[in-house]
Amino acid sequence: MELEELIGHFNNGDTIGEDWSVIELMRFYSREAQKITMEINTKFHEPDELAKLMSDLIGKPVGEGFGLFPPFYTDFGKNITIGKNVFINAGCKFQDQGGIFIDDGALIGHNVVLATLNHDLEPSKRQQLHPKAIRIGKGVWIGANATVTAGVTIGDNAVIAAGAVVNKDVEANTVVGGVPARKIKDI
């Protein structure tokens, strides 16, 4: 299986974990992501160097105006798409197998976790993985220490309050906060 086919399975929401060769391929790309994130996280890099390293990590160009304050962590790397003028602050952790799509102008605060995988609830199938994409709209601001779970779409211009746990879709032009996140107000 090639990378594109693996990403296709992730993006289709196919259950992963029954075929050992798929797990080995995931681990191969995880090791590649570790090498690149170690480079990002252990030396100073100018902004254009960080954009190049992030493009290498995700396997495609980042949008113009990309900004990153390391450290940055991901356990796969190849299923992230980043639009123009996106800023990712220090300490973020992206579990991207299920797909992370960040649209133009999004701001991702310190220590944000984006988690696109769930394990099966059935104990005998606990090793199986269920991927679902996270989609972040244009102009979204995700506050520090927020967590966004698998399958969530955040509408354009929405604000996620610091420390929120977002487990449901967020309407455009709204502010949500809390655990679990609830609508606080319209913008």
Side-chain angles (χ1 to χ4, degrees):
M1 179 182 301
E2 298 293 324
L3 176 61
E4 289 178 16
E5 186 179 354
L6 177 62
I7 291 173
H9 284 296
F10 289 142
N11 291 345
N12 290 333
D14 298 341
T15 298
I16 306 294
E18 297 172 339
D19 182 345
W20 188 252
S21 67
V22 173
I23 298 300
E24 285 300 312
L25 188 59
M26 286 174 56
R27 288 180 178 170
F28 171 83
Y29 285 105
S30 291
R31 289 187 299 274
E32 183 178 283
Q34 289 170 8
K35 289 176 191 175
I36 297 170
T37 56
M38 285 296 292
E39 175 66 23
I40 289 170
N41 295 337
T42 60
K43 291 196 245 183
F44 174 79
H45 298 281
E46 294 295 338
D48 60 330
E49 295 172 314
L50 282 173
K52 167 79 170 77
L53 285 164
M54 192 66 148
S55 294
D56 292 345
L57 176 65
I58 69 175
K60 56 188 160 264
V62 296
E64 290 177 35
F66 171 76
L68 171 68
F69 284 177
F72 173 80
Y73 305 96
T74 185
D75 57 0
F76 185 66
K78 298 301 184 200
N79 208 4
I80 301 170
T81 301
I82 299 172
K84 296 177 184 174
N85 300 312
V86 168
F87 177 72
I88 300 170
N89 219 323
C92 290
K93 298 166 186 75
F94 288 12
Q95 180 194 51
D96 66 290
Q97 288 89 339
I100 295 173
F101 303 91
I102 305 171
D103 212 331
D104 298 345
L107 304 172
I108 314 293
H110 287 91
N111 300 313
V112 166
V113 174
L114 304 178
T116 66
L117 290 177
N118 282 309
H119 289 273
D120 204 282
L121 288 177
E122 173 62 40
S124 66
K125 297 179 180 179
R126 191 66 42 89
Q127 297 299 319
Q128 293 181 3
L129 302 171
H130 302 284
K132 289 187 181 174
I134 293 172
R135 299 180 187 284
I136 299 169
K138 290 181 176 151
V140 167
W141 172 23
I142 302 177
N145 296 303
T147 298
V148 180
T149 62
V152 168
T153 296
I154 302 172
D156 292 350
N157 303 312
V159 175
I160 310 303
V165 175
V166 183
N167 61 0
K168 293 184 177 150
D169 290 352
V170 176
E171 294 176 36
N173 302 302
T174 61
V175 177
V176 301
V179 180
R182 292 177 296 285
K183 183 177 175 180
I184 297 171
K185 65 181 178 178
D186 291 314
I187 298 174

